[in-house]
Amino acid sequence: MMERLLTTDKSTRVVALLVWCAAAIFALPLSAYAADIPPDVLAEIEKNYPDGLPRYLTPEEQEWLQQQAGTQALAIVPLGEQTSPPAGAVFAPAEYEAVYGPIVAWEPGSYLALLTEFVVGVTTDPHMDSLAFVIVSGASQQASCTTTLQNAGADMDRVKFIYYNLDTVWIRDYGPRYVAEDSYPAIIDHTYNRPRANDDALPAFLQTQSIPFPQNEPLYDIGLTHGGGNFHVFANGDAFASTLILDENTGYTEAQIQQIFSDFYNVDLTIYTRLISNVDATGH
């Protein structure tokens, strides 16, 4: 099953990402960030959040960034300095389309009940054969996760574990985002709009692993600071994002950003005004 390659009529069965929402109470700064918080500092910050770091930039992260003398916003990547876009025909799967299998981040906190329910639903649905790829930090967390999923009724034959040490649960935002290029899987990457290094490095890590696909996938970097939740695709090739994508990439015009998404994802991107921050602090 793992060895099967995507065919043209099943090009939607690339790995999709699980979307989670968090209560947003802090405004997201307009600028992106020049540095990732050192692991030891991030570990101290995480102690204040027993349910895991939220989707938004925490006040502690904002304070640390402001304290960095000389820290500037992420350098703008001039147009043309992204990696070259895919040369083949690209298909970007739509929201809620049938997929080879979702990837979930098994991070301790209040979301484990939702993650469990989701994995059970995916692996026991008799009308699909999708796998569930679960990222755990190591063998100990895998054992705990297995017990939880087994007790909840998951079909463990359809659960595949990936060992990687993440910072947060928000995998839709940091990726990877898979597309089909000439009916084969490929990864489109971006710079995660949070100073969380492990999360940001996940797409490059998965590119060279034997899961979810047995071969290495090409990885294309769009050269933009971005949160993947701010990108929604319809089956007809229409796509949507909020003006957050403009706020975080001020070196580009709206037309240039739309062209980048067209080149890399083969979609027609419409950019809408973001909601006010006290409604949605993530800007999605």
Side-chain angles (χ1 to χ4, degrees):
M1 188 172 188
M2 289 296 294
E3 283 74 21
R4 67 186 180 187
L5 296 177
L6 299 175
T7 59
T8 300
D9 63 333
K10 291 186 177 180
S11 61
T12 59
R13 300 188 67 78
V14 293
V15 178
L17 304 179
L18 178 62
V19 184
W20 291 110
C21 295
I25 56 176
F26 294 100
L28 179 73
L30 297 184
S31 60
Y33 315 110
D36 291 317
I37 294 180
D40 57 335
V41 176
L42 189 61
E44 286 298 313
I45 293 174
E46 288 173 344
K47 291 179 181 179
N48 296 328
Y49 298 87
D51 289 331
L53 289 176
R55 194 170 187 172
Y56 53 81
L57 194 71
T58 68
E60 295 91 339
E61 288 174 307
Q62 294 185 59
E63 181 180 2
W64 184 87
L65 288 165
Q66 292 167 356
Q67 289 173 350
Q68 304 314 298
T71 294
Q72 300 175 350
L74 280 169
I76 300 300
V77 180
L79 192 65
E81 289 192 10
Q82 313 95 337
T83 60
S84 297
V90 173
F91 176 83
E95 301 289 322
Y96 308 114
E97 202 155 9
V99 296
Y100 183 57
I103 302 178
V104 298
W106 194 264
E107 288 292 294
S110 61
Y111 298 101
L112 290 186
L114 288 173
L115 290 168
T116 299
E117 181 181 1
F118 178 80
V119 172
V120 170
V122 168
T123 61
T124 59
D125 189 328
H127 304 294
M128 65 169 59
D129 61 356
S130 294
L131 304 176
F133 298 93
V134 182
I135 300 179
V136 293
S137 59
S140 176
Q141 192 175 61
Q142 177 182 345
S144 173
C145 177
T146 298
T147 298
T148 298
L149 292 176
Q150 283 179 331
N151 290 342
D155 180 352
M156 298 307 295
D157 289 337
R158 289 166 59 179
V159 176
K160 306 299 178 184
F161 288 100
I162 301 171
Y163 283 10
Y164 185 82
N165 188 30
L166 290 165
D167 297 316
T168 69
V169 72
W170 310 112
I171 193 167
R172 176 58 181 270
D173 285 334
Y174 48 78
R177 185 132 196 168
Y178 283 85
V179 299
E181 180 186 3
D182 289 337
S183 300
Y184 288 83
I187 297 172
I188 309 296
D189 195 16
H190 57 266
T191 299
Y192 182 32
N193 62 350
R194 298 287 181 271
R196 301 167 183 173
N198 290 328
D199 291 348
D200 192 32
L202 177 64
F205 170 80
L206 287 180
Q207 176 196 12
T208 60
Q209 303 303 302
S210 60
I211 291 180
F213 299 102
Q215 72 279 0
N216 290 348
E217 298 86 46
L219 184 146
Y220 303 99
D221 194 326
I222 64 175
L224 298 176
T225 298
H226 180 45
N230 186 30
F231 179 52
H232 303 275
V233 181
F234 282 42
N236 64 356
D238 288 338
F240 303 88
S242 82
T243 49
L244 174 66
I245 192 72
L246 304 178
D247 297 338
E248 294 183 320
N249 297 279
T250 55
Y252 296 94
T253 66
E254 181 171 341
Q256 287 172 329
I257 289 175
Q258 290 171 319
Q259 186 62 54
I260 289 170
F261 276 85
S262 175
D263 292 342
F264 283 81
Y265 285 101
N266 190 28
V267 295
D268 182 12
L269 182 69
T270 298
I271 299 176
Y272 285 96
T273 302
R274 60 179 288 183
L275 297 173
I276 58 176
S277 59
N278 63 337
V279 174
D280 179 14
T282 66
H284 299 174

